[in-house]
Amino acid sequence: MADHPHDSAHATPRSTAQAGTGDADDDLAAVLTTVGPRLRALRRERGTTLARLSAATGISLSTLSRLESGQRKPTLELLLPLAREYRVPLDELVGAPATGDPRVHARPFTRAGQTFVPLTRHLGGLHAYKQIMPPGHGAGPDLEPRVHEGHEWVYVLAGRLRLLLGTRDLVLTAGEAAEFDTRTPHAFGNAGPNAVEFLSLFGAQGERIHVRARPGTSVR
């Protein structure tokens, strides 16, 4: 026997609503599934360990491990401290769909007495920063050159930037740029009486050494 038309008319909207809810759930599940691999890739890119990340965020090592393996559902309580530590927007950390807004909204932060203003938001590839170095920073004889894989480019916006590069001790002024292989020992300092502002462009290894390494950390 055929269904009564009245019954069919009422069944269709209910089925459509259920299908819509199912699609939304599927989309959410797909986004959450990518969080673990994304967190693991980001941690490895930054050259840190689960133990160090646990100490920095207050999240237990076992929880971090389960997050990366997909055995723990990511929540805001867990993702917010990770986004702060990695200095990336939360929507980028979870791989949320793009909103179409190309502007970078990352907040400035301070490391080893310098102010860093992130100019890029992508997790991989090159990283760009505006750096503000106060007077006297790196002006003494104890400036420690470092080496790492990659290539680096700097452009001075204002002030005088000291660049130790191998056996050379250079001073760059506003409007001057430098680029070099970062396997050459290098370090930056302020060579003037005022703050020096400059742009830096480097890869993941350069960010790990210059932005995230603790003061006094020796890198070989």
Side-chain angles (χ1 to χ4, degrees):
M1 180 183 299
D3 292 334
H4 194 283
H6 182 75
D7 296 335
S8 299
H10 284 279
T12 300
R14 188 160 54 245
S15 300
T16 302
Q18 290 171 347
T21 302
D23 290 343
D25 290 342
D26 290 344
D27 291 343
L28 178 60
V31 169
L32 294 180
T33 299
T34 65
V35 172
R38 189 180 295 271
L39 290 173
R40 180 183 290 110
L42 183 57
R43 177 174 59 78
R44 290 175 176 173
E45 179 185 304
R46 299 297 169 84
T48 191
T49 65
L50 285 173
R52 276 184 282 181
L53 189 59
S54 175
T57 61
I59 302 172
S60 72
L61 194 150
S62 62
T63 297
L64 289 172
S65 179
R66 285 187 290 141
L67 268 177
E68 290 190 358
S69 65
Q71 297 175 6
R72 174 69 182 264
K73 184 177 180 179
T75 63
L76 277 177
E77 185 180 16
L78 296 173
L79 293 176
L80 283 174
L82 290 170
R84 283 195 296 266
E85 177 64 20
Y86 287 136
R87 300 288 175 182
V88 298
L90 185 61
D91 58 349
E92 193 164 315
L93 191 64
V94 301
T99 62
D101 186 351
R103 293 173 294 179
V104 177
H105 299 289
R107 296 179 179 178
F109 58 93
T110 301
R111 285 287 186 279
Q114 297 185 69
T115 299
F116 290 81
V117 183
L119 302 178
T120 50
R121 59 184 176 185
H122 298 296
L123 300 184
L126 294 175
H127 300 264
Y129 288 90
K130 175 183 177 181
Q131 293 179 230
I132 304 172
M133 186 181 293
H137 188 99
D142 56 346
L143 191 59
E144 181 184 2
R146 295 174 173 179
V147 297
H148 55 86
E149 292 295 324
H151 204 79
E152 192 157 336
W153 173 91
V154 296
Y155 177 82
V156 181
L157 299 170
R160 295 167 58 84
L161 179 67
R162 181 187 183 194
L163 170 61
L164 291 184
L165 186 63
T167 59
R168 307 183 70 181
D169 193 340
L170 308 170
V171 174
L172 305 178
T173 58
E176 290 189 297
E179 59 177 334
F180 51 89
D181 187 322
T182 52
R183 290 173 294 186
T184 302
H186 59 282
F188 298 106
N190 188 335
N194 302 311
V196 58
E197 300 183 15
F198 58 103
L199 302 179
S200 297
L201 187 66
F202 39 65
Q205 285 291 324
E207 183 181 44
R208 181 173 68 86
I209 300 306
H210 292 299
V211 181
R212 305 186 184 282
R214 293 181 174 83
T217 301
S218 179
V219 179
R220 299 287 181 227

